[in-house]
Amino acid sequence: MTHPTSLVLEGNEVKLRLQAERVQTGSPVHVDWLRFTVNLRFAPIPTVEHLFPPAQASEFDLRSEHQLSEDDRRRAKLCHLLRDIPDPDFAASTQALELANNVCEILGEGFTVDPELKKGHDFYRHRWSILRAGNECGWVGFLASGESPRQRAQSKTIHCNLYGVACTFAAPGWAPRMADYMDEHRALVTRCDLALDFFDGISGGMDRVASDYDAGAMDHYGHRPEHNCVGAWRAGGVGRSFYFGSKAAGKQTNVYDKGVQLYGKQDATGWQRIELRYGNQKRLLPTDILRRPADFFAGASDWHALMLAEHGAIASPEPIKTESRLPLETLMAECTRNARWFFSTAGKSAALAFLYMDRETLMQFIENCAEMPGRLSKFKRSEVERIYQQMFKKISGSGAGHTAYAH
């Protein structure tokens, strides 16, 4: 059981970090959780040290471990571990390790990668844990835990999951730097939580939140979202949460007593939080959500924009609309047709160009092809890229000498 004094100290530290971030960024909206996925083809290239772990050096380092610094011990353990990874898994392991190290550098001082390889989460076979003060605050998963078609596709990706504590204690300005890194490696955002804290409480409190819902303030495009009340909702109750929206639809908001969560009921403050949770179930989440969190918070609904305005912040609402099913299926069909044409009609010519044409001429030709093929010109390039990535995962898992397309 955590001692009440420890709760107060930890709660105060979190509050100070959030207040300092506001001053640094000029935005009251805090990124509180982040998940993203990178295709192995675009994942970072491992360092020479990881690609060719020195056998003799790592054995020596392990024998003389008590003489080494903490960083040297960690490197020695990693070298020893990498030498024992089976060849088929080695590339994915080292790419995931490099990504984890890159993420730690962006998060800032105090974040490290655990040198012990651990069992994976969310159907990934393994994970590299990201640590702060000796505790896991995130992880990078790689390789699949099964052989189903979906998991074979997943094995071609690396996934990063950063918990709220990592986002809270990261160095100022980490979020836009992470967005740049994700763009560089063509990462897809799969979850991003945006938090707006009222340290002295929301005007009208939790009762006002429930009344706003009943009055239709949370309605969006004429639709009233699902809701759920958790905690002691009788008069004078503390530790309450009000959920509205849907995880299945990729947009859910939780309004709750943050002071109770951090300090406990006995030492609770009036601190309340509005936490908007975006997922990629029916949306394509842009990396700009990390650069302009207030805009995307305000874009969730008129109520979110109102609460941000009551906080005293000015934003340009940026909604993230759901993707309609029919255009997505149409895009998949058009990409499939385009890929089939390439392999059946243009494939031999393309192979000759890659084999015998000088690289400068070939790259100039590719760079000058700014326009999309006619039937794909009505779609966004980012949408076509995402579908092509999904298609080629399936192609690569279909076996040598065979080509499989999404239908």
Side-chain angles (χ1 to χ4, degrees):
M1 181 177 178
T2 305
H3 193 277
T5 303
S6 297
L7 284 176
V8 172
L9 291 174
E10 291 172 8
N12 286 340
E13 187 178 5
V14 170
K15 185 175 181 180
L16 288 172
R17 297 287 304 198
L18 292 170
Q19 290 173 328
E21 182 186 271
R22 284 187 180 180
V23 174
Q24 291 278 349
T25 64
S27 172
V29 178
H30 163 72
V31 176
D32 194 58
W33 203 292
L34 176 65
R35 300 184 72 152
F36 64 87
T37 300
V38 178
N39 191 288
L40 279 173
R41 289 179 294 153
F42 308 124
I45 298 172
T47 63
V48 173
E49 180 185 23
H50 293 154
L51 284 174
F52 307 103
Q56 293 180 346
S58 59
E59 289 170 0
F60 173 80
D61 288 345
L62 287 173
R63 287 199 304 270
S64 57
E65 187 174 350
H66 64 283
Q67 301 174 359
L68 301 174
S69 68
E70 181 62 33
D71 286 344
D72 287 338
R73 274 200 299 272
R74 179 174 158 274
R75 279 195 292 268
K77 286 182 178 180
L78 279 172
C79 286
H80 187 76
L81 176 65
L82 290 172
R83 287 193 298 107
D84 294 333
I85 290 177
D87 288 345
D89 301 341
F90 184 78
S93 302
T94 53
Q95 284 184 280
L97 177 59
E98 184 65 15
L99 188 142
N101 281 320
N102 294 164
V103 167
C104 286
E105 291 175 10
I106 294 170
L107 293 176
E109 186 177 355
F111 292 90
T112 59
V113 179
D114 191 336
E116 302 293 335
L117 189 61
K118 296 184 178 180
K119 183 179 179 181
H121 295 315
D122 298 341
F123 304 104
Y124 282 95
R125 193 192 313 168
H126 303 297
R127 80 182 193 273
W128 295 110
S129 289
I130 294 174
L131 306 178
R132 179 186 176 274
N135 298 312
E136 185 176 75
C137 60
W139 52 266
V140 173
F142 60 97
L143 298 176
S145 59
E147 292 297 326
S148 69
R150 183 172 182 177
Q151 288 181 318
R152 283 201 299 271
Q154 180 174 294
S155 70
K156 304 297 182 183
T157 66
I158 299 173
H159 183 78
C160 180
N161 185 356
L162 295 177
Y163 307 157
V165 66
C167 301
T168 299
F169 287 91
W174 73 273
R177 290 196 298 271
M178 191 71 75
D180 292 343
Y181 178 80
M182 292 164 64
D183 286 343
E184 178 185 353
H185 296 286
R186 305 190 190 186
L188 296 176
V189 183
T190 60
R191 173 181 173 180
C192 187
D193 293 4
L194 305 177
L196 178 63
D197 290 298
F198 292 78
F199 295 120
D200 297 320
I202 297 170
S203 176
M206 295 298 293
D207 291 328
R208 177 263 179 100
V209 175
S211 298
D212 280 355
Y213 179 85
D214 291 337
M218 280 86 156
D219 292 4
H220 196 46
Y221 294 118
H223 172 72
R224 185 154 301 178
E226 300 174 4
H227 81 288
N228 184 32
C229 297
V230 178
W233 275 86
R234 286 181 174 274
V238 294
R240 295 180 288 180
S241 295
F242 188 92
Y243 291 85
F244 64 94
S246 167
K247 282 185 179 180
K251 188 174 75 171
Q252 185 180 54
T253 299
N254 180 19
V255 188
Y256 64 102
D257 290 321
K258 185 69 176 178
V260 176
Q261 182 201 54
L262 286 178
Y263 296 97
K265 291 182 180 180
Q266 183 176 351
D267 297 296
T269 68
W271 182 354
Q272 290 170 330
R273 167 175 284 190
I274 303 173
E275 194 167 277
L276 170 62
R277 302 170 182 175
Y278 267 123
N280 71 331
Q281 288 85 341
K282 293 184 178 181
R283 290 173 170 81
L284 182 62
L285 305 181
T287 53
D288 271 349
I289 197 171
L290 300 175
R291 299 184 180 97
R292 298 184 287 112
D295 292 345
F296 287 91
F297 184 93
S301 75
D302 291 341
W303 185 83
H304 289 83
L306 172 65
M307 299 310 295
L308 188 60
E310 287 189 11
H311 202 288
I314 299 175
S316 300
E318 184 90 28
I320 305 178
K321 297 180 180 179
T322 57
E323 297 176 323
S324 55
R325 187 169 180 81
L326 181 59
L328 190 62
E329 290 177 346
T330 303
L331 174 57
M332 176 67 79
E334 292 295 348
C335 287
T336 300
R337 183 181 290 109
N338 182 261
R340 185 179 289 116
W341 173 86
F342 175 79
F343 282 110
S344 63
T345 305
K348 293 180 181 179
S349 298
L352 282 174
F354 274 105
L355 286 172
Y356 305 121
M357 187 180 293
D358 68 275
R359 291 294 179 262
E360 184 178 351
T361 302
L362 183 60
M363 290 308 300
Q364 284 180 351
F365 172 76
I366 293 173
E367 290 170 0
N368 290 332
C369 288
E371 296 183 1
M372 300 279 281
R375 298 180 69 118
L376 291 174
S377 59
K378 58 187 175 183
F379 300 102
K380 293 181 180 178
R381 186 173 290 272
S382 60
E383 295 173 337
V384 173
E385 178 182 355
R386 184 163 58 94
I387 294 298
Y388 254 84
Q389 287 182 22
Q390 293 175 3
M391 289 169 56
F392 280 109
K393 289 176 193 174
K394 296 179 181 180
I395 290 170
S396 63
S398 62
H402 298 280
T403 302
Y405 296 97
H407 296 288

